[in-house]
Amino acid sequence: MMPPTGRECCQSLMPDIISNLPHNVIDVILILLPFKDAVRTSVLSKKWRYHWCRRTELTLDESLWKQREDLNPTVRFREIISQLLTLHEGPITKFTLDIVHLKRLPEIDDFIYFLRNHIQDLVLRLPLRKQYALPSTLFTCSQLRHLNLHSCSIYHPSAFEGFDKLISLELCGVSTSSELLESLISHCPLLEQLELSTSEDLDMIEINAPMLRFFSFTGNISSIYLKNVPRLVEAFLLGDIEQTESLDFAKIFESCSALEQLSLDFLSSEFVAEEGYKVPKRLPFNLNVRRFDLLDISLVESYKLSHILCLLRSFPYLEYLEMQVCSALTFFNLI
């Protein structure tokens, strides 16, 4: 039998599988690829050319320019944003911008405006050296479900009606006022997870979030009250309370009927009791706390010890206690 000719051999080859993949399969592949590699798929075939422009999830980070020492990162970043605004088709539902080490941050207001109608998951980790004032357009992103902001300043407009669909909110090193922060939280009726890490001192804030299940606060604050959090299960309160002359745990935890895990570091603050004030032996109500972590506690000061005992007597279902005693640098675990 004679071997096939060149033409017959070409006809017997398998069809181009890559070029004939369905569009929805290509979409899945592109989402799983890093942004730079997704753009490079344009060379595979005509069907793949610029298909990356329809990606619904994008991540921009320093990997896009770190291999080019001759390339100014800020200039390259501007080019990327310009290309996205020009070429991208369709909605972007998830966007991550991670450029914490960029020396200068170009304007991103236009891109936030571009995202506003469809974005559901937004992460902005911005340069640490200078806080970027986010535009008011951010507060028109009505589809947001997850918002993560680092190293920026936010001041929502008076007409802000809230994020009706927001489930999780993380603010790290974000500059804002206590009043605006309190207002922002209360205007997120579905909020389940809240993480606040501040580098600035805050005035008193009340947390009004009826669907909240997880709350973490790290920083310095005058006082904090968990006013309306009936579903809160985990709470981490770490930092310093400035107005602690009469620390009112009954007011702080009055709505925490579902609380099961509590980590507390506020008792490491330097404070003294008001004249004539006596720490109650227990709270006027019991809490459902199963695990209690006390960090950097000094047992030498009787006033602080009285607060600890007050809380412990109010946790009848406590199963696990961990205390980090700062004077002896030892740990106690009671199960």
Side-chain angles (χ1 to χ4, degrees):
M1 182 177 180
M2 295 293 293
T5 64
R7 184 175 181 180
E8 292 172 338
C9 183
C10 290
Q11 291 177 344
S12 64
L13 289 176
M14 293 291 291
D16 185 352
I17 298 177
I18 294 294
S19 296
N20 289 307
L21 286 173
H23 285 287
N24 62 326
V25 175
I26 296 177
D27 290 338
V28 173
I29 293 173
L30 290 175
I31 286 177
L32 296 175
L33 289 175
F35 179 70
K36 182 187 295 186
D37 294 333
V39 174
R40 288 172 175 168
T41 60
S42 293
V43 303
L44 294 177
S45 70
K46 290 183 179 180
K47 188 174 182 179
W48 283 73
R49 187 172 300 167
Y50 297 119
H51 200 100
W52 66 269
C53 297
R54 292 189 287 272
R55 274 180 51 145
T56 58
E57 299 181 8
L58 292 177
T59 296
L60 302 184
D61 56 30
E62 296 169 17
S63 66
L64 297 175
W65 54 76
K66 68 179 181 180
Q67 296 177 351
R68 291 280 305 277
E69 296 182 359
D70 61 324
L71 190 64
N72 185 304
T74 304
V75 173
R76 178 57 179 151
F77 178 78
R78 287 198 190 101
E79 292 175 352
I80 293 171
I81 293 296
S82 177
Q83 289 175 354
L84 283 173
L85 290 174
T86 304
L87 298 175
H88 196 276
E89 301 175 4
I92 296 176
T93 58
K94 183 177 182 179
F95 179 69
T96 298
L97 179 62
D98 189 352
I99 50 173
V100 294
H101 299 299
L102 201 65
K103 292 182 179 180
R104 295 181 60 188
L105 176 63
E107 291 284 336
I108 59 173
D109 293 16
D110 289 343
F111 196 72
I112 293 177
Y113 181 82
F114 175 75
L115 295 172
R116 73 191 188 286
N117 289 329
H118 303 284
I119 190 68
Q120 298 177 16
D121 191 330
L122 179 61
V123 178
L124 299 177
R125 298 190 181 99
L126 304 179
L128 302 174
R129 292 178 177 83
K130 185 177 180 180
Q131 288 192 326
Y132 188 84
L134 291 177
S136 59
T137 310
L138 174 70
F139 296 96
T140 65
C141 300
S142 59
Q143 302 301 312
L144 271 176
R145 293 176 60 82
H146 306 279
L147 179 60
N148 187 322
L149 301 177
H150 288 236
S151 304
C152 59
S153 59
I154 55 173
Y155 298 95
H156 68 70
S158 57
F160 175 59
E161 297 181 355
F163 293 127
D164 292 341
K165 299 180 180 180
L166 196 69
I167 294 175
S168 68
L169 174 64
E170 180 177 346
L171 304 178
C172 181
V174 172
S175 176
T176 188
S177 68
S178 298
E179 293 79 12
L180 288 177
L181 180 59
E182 189 175 294
S183 174
L184 173 61
I185 295 170
S186 65
H187 281 78
C188 301
L190 299 182
L191 191 64
E192 296 180 3
Q193 180 169 326
L194 175 61
E195 298 182 53
L196 304 176
S197 179
T198 67
S199 55
E200 301 177 345
D201 293 345
L202 290 175
D203 295 329
M204 187 271 290
I205 60 171
E206 294 182 348
I207 305 298
N208 182 8
M211 302 299 289
L212 195 67
R213 296 183 59 83
F214 176 91
F215 176 54
S216 174
F217 177 85
T218 303
N220 299 330
I221 193 168
S222 294
S223 57
I224 186 169
Y225 297 126
L226 304 176
K227 182 179 180 180
N228 181 22
V229 288
R231 298 186 179 215
L232 185 66
V233 176
E234 297 179 63
F236 298 81
L237 306 177
L238 313 175
D240 287 321
I241 290 184
E242 297 175 2
Q243 297 177 3
T244 49
E245 291 82 3
S246 55
L247 195 59
D248 191 349
F249 282 124
K251 189 172 182 180
I252 292 175
F253 298 116
E254 63 182 345
S255 73
C256 299
S257 56
L259 188 63
E260 295 184 3
Q261 181 173 346
L262 174 63
S263 293
L264 197 62
D265 188 24
F266 284 153
L267 285 174
S268 64
S269 305
E270 295 294 331
F271 62 90
V272 294
E274 289 181 344
E275 185 177 353
Y277 177 80
K278 291 185 178 181
V279 178
K281 289 187 176 182
R282 56 174 297 116
L283 300 179
F285 47 81
N286 288 332
L287 289 174
N288 201 36
V289 174
R290 260 60 173 182
R291 173 171 181 144
F292 186 27
D293 296 326
L294 282 163
L295 308 177
D296 295 331
I297 297 300
S298 173
L299 298 181
V300 177
E301 301 170 78
S302 60
Y303 185 60
K304 293 183 180 181
L305 182 58
S306 298
H307 274 294
I308 295 172
L309 293 175
C310 170
L311 289 174
L312 288 175
R313 294 187 185 108
S314 306
F315 300 160
Y317 306 107
L318 189 66
E319 299 174 357
Y320 183 92
L321 170 65
E322 181 171 311
M323 299 174 62
Q324 180 180 345
V325 183
C326 58
S327 58
L329 296 179
T330 56
F331 293 87
F332 298 91
N333 295 325
L334 302 178
I335 300 178

PDB file of all heavy atoms in Angstrom, residues 111-126:
ATOM      1  N   PHE A 111     -11.697  54.473  35.258  1.00  0.00           N
ATOM      2  CA  PHE A 111     -11.900  53.029  35.242  1.00  0.00           C
ATOM      3  C   PHE A 111     -12.985  52.617  36.238  1.00  0.00           C
ATOM      4  O   PHE A 111     -13.784  51.719  35.959  1.00  0.00           O
ATOM      5  CB  PHE A 111     -10.587  52.305  35.550  1.00  0.00           C
ATOM      6  CG  PHE A 111     -10.618  50.855  35.183  1.00  0.00           C
ATOM      7  CD1 PHE A 111     -10.595  50.462  33.857  1.00  0.00           C
ATOM      8  CD2 PHE A 111     -10.706  49.878  36.159  1.00  0.00           C
ATOM      9  CE1 PHE A 111     -10.644  49.122  33.509  1.00  0.00           C
ATOM     10  CE2 PHE A 111     -10.753  48.538  35.822  1.00  0.00           C
ATOM     11  CZ  PHE A 111     -10.720  48.160  34.491  1.00  0.00           C
ATOM     12  N   ILE A 112     -13.025  53.257  37.394  1.00  0.00           N
ATOM     13  CA  ILE A 112     -14.102  52.976  38.350  1.00  0.00           C
ATOM     14  C   ILE A 112     -15.451  53.348  37.741  1.00  0.00           C
ATOM     15  O   ILE A 112     -16.447  52.640  37.915  1.00  0.00           O
ATOM     16  CB  ILE A 112     -13.856  53.737  39.668  1.00  0.00           C
ATOM     17  CG1 ILE A 112     -12.613  53.165  40.361  1.00  0.00           C
ATOM     18  CG2 ILE A 112     -15.067  53.637  40.589  1.00  0.00           C
ATOM     19  CD1 ILE A 112     -12.242  53.878  41.638  1.00  0.00           C
ATOM     20  N   TYR A 113     -15.479  54.437  36.998  1.00  0.00           N
ATOM     21  CA  TYR A 113     -16.708  54.821  36.301  1.00  0.00           C
ATOM     22  C   TYR A 113     -17.095  53.751  35.283  1.00  0.00           C
ATOM     23  O   TYR A 113     -18.275  53.414  35.130  1.00  0.00           O
ATOM     24  CB  TYR A 113     -16.500  56.167  35.605  1.00  0.00           C
ATOM     25  CG  TYR A 113     -17.721  56.683  34.877  1.00  0.00           C
ATOM     26  CD1 TYR A 113     -18.723  57.353  35.560  1.00  0.00           C
ATOM     27  CD2 TYR A 113     -17.860  56.486  33.503  1.00  0.00           C
ATOM     28  CE1 TYR A 113     -19.846  57.826  34.890  1.00  0.00           C
ATOM     29  CE2 TYR A 113     -18.979  56.949  32.828  1.00  0.00           C
ATOM     30  CZ  TYR A 113     -19.968  57.618  33.527  1.00  0.00           C
ATOM     31  OH  TYR A 113     -21.079  58.068  32.862  1.00  0.00           O
ATOM     32  N   PHE A 114     -16.096  53.190  34.606  1.00  0.00           N
ATOM     33  CA  PHE A 114     -16.330  52.135  33.622  1.00  0.00           C
ATOM     34  C   PHE A 114     -16.909  50.880  34.288  1.00  0.00           C
ATOM     35  O   PHE A 114     -17.749  50.181  33.716  1.00  0.00           O
ATOM     36  CB  PHE A 114     -15.008  51.813  32.919  1.00  0.00           C
ATOM     37  CG  PHE A 114     -15.065  50.655  31.968  1.00  0.00           C
ATOM     38  CD1 PHE A 114     -15.669  50.776  30.734  1.00  0.00           C
ATOM     39  CD2 PHE A 114     -14.505  49.432  32.312  1.00  0.00           C
ATOM     40  CE1 PHE A 114     -15.722  49.708  29.851  1.00  0.00           C
ATOM     41  CE2 PHE A 114     -14.548  48.355  31.440  1.00  0.00           C
ATOM     42  CZ  PHE A 114     -15.159  48.499  30.204  1.00  0.00           C
ATOM     43  N   LEU A 115     -16.495  50.602  35.520  1.00  0.00           N
ATOM     44  CA  LEU A 115     -16.929  49.391  36.223  1.00  0.00           C
ATOM     45  C   LEU A 115     -18.311  49.523  36.860  1.00  0.00           C
ATOM     46  O   LEU A 115     -18.942  48.515  37.186  1.00  0.00           O
ATOM     47  CB  LEU A 115     -15.928  49.058  37.342  1.00  0.00           C
ATOM     48  CG  LEU A 115     -14.499  48.676  36.952  1.00  0.00           C
ATOM     49  CD1 LEU A 115     -13.640  48.588  38.215  1.00  0.00           C
ATOM     50  CD2 LEU A 115     -14.472  47.351  36.203  1.00  0.00           C
ATOM     51  N   ARG A 116     -18.799  50.714  37.049  1.00  0.00           N
ATOM     52  CA  ARG A 116     -19.846  51.010  38.015  1.00  0.00           C
ATOM     53  C   ARG A 116     -21.137  50.211  37.852  1.00  0.00           C
ATOM     54  O   ARG A 116     -21.784  49.875  38.843  1.00  0.00           O
ATOM     55  CB  ARG A 116     -20.166  52.512  37.988  1.00  0.00           C
ATOM     56  CG  ARG A 116     -20.928  52.968  36.755  1.00  0.00           C
ATOM     57  CD  ARG A 116     -20.994  54.474  36.619  1.00  0.00           C
ATOM     58  NE  ARG A 116     -21.875  54.885  35.533  1.00  0.00           N
ATOM     59  CZ  ARG A 116     -21.587  54.784  34.248  1.00  0.00           C
ATOM     60  NH1 ARG A 116     -20.430  54.266  33.875  1.00  0.00           N
ATOM     61  NH2 ARG A 116     -22.454  55.176  33.328  1.00  0.00           N
ATOM     62  N   ASN A 117     -21.536  49.877  36.632  1.00  0.00           N
ATOM     63  CA  ASN A 117     -22.860  49.285  36.418  1.00  0.00           C
ATOM     64  C   ASN A 117     -22.930  47.789  36.700  1.00  0.00           C
ATOM     65  O   ASN A 117     -24.021  47.271  36.971  1.00  0.00           O
ATOM     66  CB  ASN A 117     -23.328  49.544  34.983  1.00  0.00           C
ATOM     67  CG  ASN A 117     -23.690  50.992  34.745  1.00  0.00           C
ATOM     68  OD1 ASN A 117     -24.139  51.680  35.659  1.00  0.00           O
ATOM     69  ND2 ASN A 117     -23.481  51.469  33.530  1.00  0.00           N
ATOM     70  N   HIS A 118     -21.787  47.092  36.636  1.00  0.00           N
ATOM     71  CA  HIS A 118     -21.838  45.632  36.724  1.00  0.00           C
ATOM     72  C   HIS A 118     -20.917  45.037  37.785  1.00  0.00           C
ATOM     73  O   HIS A 118     -21.042  43.848  38.081  1.00  0.00           O
ATOM     74  CB  HIS A 118     -21.478  45.019  35.364  1.00  0.00           C
ATOM     75  CG  HIS A 118     -22.350  45.469  34.238  1.00  0.00           C
ATOM     76  ND1 HIS A 118     -23.631  44.998  34.053  1.00  0.00           N
ATOM     77  CD2 HIS A 118     -22.134  46.370  33.238  1.00  0.00           C
ATOM     78  CE1 HIS A 118     -24.166  45.565  32.987  1.00  0.00           C
ATOM     79  NE2 HIS A 118     -23.283  46.407  32.475  1.00  0.00           N
ATOM     80  N   ILE A 119     -20.019  45.809  38.353  1.00  0.00           N
ATOM     81  CA  ILE A 119     -19.034  45.248  39.273  1.00  0.00           C
ATOM     82  C   ILE A 119     -19.709  44.693  40.528  1.00  0.00           C
ATOM     83  O   ILE A 119     -20.551  45.347  41.141  1.00  0.00           O
ATOM     84  CB  ILE A 119     -17.966  46.314  39.646  1.00  0.00           C
ATOM     85  CG1 ILE A 119     -16.810  45.678  40.403  1.00  0.00           C
ATOM     86  CG2 ILE A 119     -18.580  47.474  40.394  1.00  0.00           C
ATOM     87  CD1 ILE A 119     -15.983  44.747  39.564  1.00  0.00           C
ATOM     88  N   GLN A 120     -19.327  43.457  40.889  1.00  0.00           N
ATOM     89  CA  GLN A 120     -19.875  42.802  42.075  1.00  0.00           C
ATOM     90  C   GLN A 120     -18.814  42.567  43.150  1.00  0.00           C
ATOM     91  O   GLN A 120     -19.121  42.549  44.338  1.00  0.00           O
ATOM     92  CB  GLN A 120     -20.504  41.454  41.687  1.00  0.00           C
ATOM     93  CG  GLN A 120     -21.663  41.564  40.726  1.00  0.00           C
ATOM     94  CD  GLN A 120     -22.207  40.207  40.320  1.00  0.00           C
ATOM     95  OE1 GLN A 120     -21.926  39.184  40.953  1.00  0.00           O
ATOM     96  NE2 GLN A 120     -22.984  40.175  39.247  1.00  0.00           N
ATOM     97  N   ASP A 121     -17.586  42.372  42.705  1.00  0.00           N
ATOM     98  CA  ASP A 121     -16.486  42.074  43.628  1.00  0.00           C
ATOM     99  C   ASP A 121     -15.328  43.007  43.282  1.00  0.00           C
ATOM    100  O   ASP A 121     -14.719  42.874  42.222  1.00  0.00           O
ATOM    101  CB  ASP A 121     -16.074  40.608  43.474  1.00  0.00           C
ATOM    102  CG  ASP A 121     -15.121  40.142  44.567  1.00  0.00           C
ATOM    103  OD1 ASP A 121     -14.348  40.981  45.068  1.00  0.00           O
ATOM    104  OD2 ASP A 121     -15.130  38.948  44.909  1.00  0.00           O
ATOM    105  N   LEU A 122     -15.025  43.945  44.168  1.00  0.00           N
ATOM    106  CA  LEU A 122     -14.010  44.962  43.880  1.00  0.00           C
ATOM    107  C   LEU A 122     -12.956  44.979  44.982  1.00  0.00           C
ATOM    108  O   LEU A 122     -13.281  45.117  46.164  1.00  0.00           O
ATOM    109  CB  LEU A 122     -14.657  46.341  43.766  1.00  0.00           C
ATOM    110  CG  LEU A 122     -13.717  47.518  43.488  1.00  0.00           C
ATOM    111  CD1 LEU A 122     -12.996  47.342  42.153  1.00  0.00           C
ATOM    112  CD2 LEU A 122     -14.486  48.838  43.505  1.00  0.00           C
ATOM    113  N   VAL A 123     -11.685  44.813  44.569  1.00  0.00           N
ATOM    114  CA  VAL A 123     -10.548  44.868  45.494  1.00  0.00           C
ATOM    115  C   VAL A 123      -9.581  45.928  44.996  1.00  0.00           C
ATOM    116  O   VAL A 123      -9.104  45.854  43.862  1.00  0.00           O
ATOM    117  CB  VAL A 123      -9.825  43.504  45.590  1.00  0.00           C
ATOM    118  CG1 VAL A 123      -8.627  43.606  46.528  1.00  0.00           C
ATOM    119  CG2 VAL A 123     -10.780  42.412  46.057  1.00  0.00           C
ATOM    120  N   LEU A 124      -9.299  46.919  45.830  1.00  0.00           N
ATOM    121  CA  LEU A 124      -8.344  47.973  45.491  1.00  0.00           C
ATOM    122  C   LEU A 124      -7.284  48.038  46.583  1.00  0.00           C
ATOM    123  O   LEU A 124      -7.551  48.507  47.697  1.00  0.00           O
ATOM    124  CB  LEU A 124      -9.047  49.328  45.366  1.00  0.00           C
ATOM    125  CG  LEU A 124     -10.130  49.465  44.287  1.00  0.00           C
ATOM    126  CD1 LEU A 124     -10.761  50.850  44.347  1.00  0.00           C
ATOM    127  CD2 LEU A 124      -9.564  49.190  42.900  1.00  0.00           C
ATOM    128  N   ARG A 125      -6.091  47.529  46.268  1.00  0.00           N
ATOM    129  CA  ARG A 125      -4.950  47.634  47.186  1.00  0.00           C
ATOM    130  C   ARG A 125      -3.997  48.655  46.578  1.00  0.00           C
ATOM    131  O   ARG A 125      -3.227  48.348  45.673  1.00  0.00           O
ATOM    132  CB  ARG A 125      -4.275  46.273  47.373  1.00  0.00           C
ATOM    133  CG  ARG A 125      -5.196  45.225  47.996  1.00  0.00           C
ATOM    134  CD  ARG A 125      -4.430  43.975  48.389  1.00  0.00           C
ATOM    135  NE  ARG A 125      -5.314  42.974  48.970  1.00  0.00           N
ATOM    136  CZ  ARG A 125      -5.800  41.937  48.307  1.00  0.00           C
ATOM    137  NH1 ARG A 125      -5.464  41.759  47.035  1.00  0.00           N
ATOM    138  NH2 ARG A 125      -6.595  41.073  48.893  1.00  0.00           N
ATOM    139  N   LEU A 126      -4.050  49.862  47.098  1.00  0.00           N
ATOM    140  CA  LEU A 126      -3.380  50.998  46.484  1.00  0.00           C
ATOM    141  C   LEU A 126      -2.058  51.306  47.186  1.00  0.00           C
ATOM    142  O   LEU A 126      -1.792  50.802  48.281  1.00  0.00           O
ATOM    143  CB  LEU A 126      -4.320  52.205  46.513  1.00  0.00           C
ATOM    144  CG  LEU A 126      -5.690  51.963  45.847  1.00  0.00           C
ATOM    145  CD1 LEU A 126      -6.555  53.205  45.938  1.00  0.00           C
ATOM    146  CD2 LEU A 126      -5.530  51.527  44.400  1.00  0.00           C
TER     147      LEU A 126
END
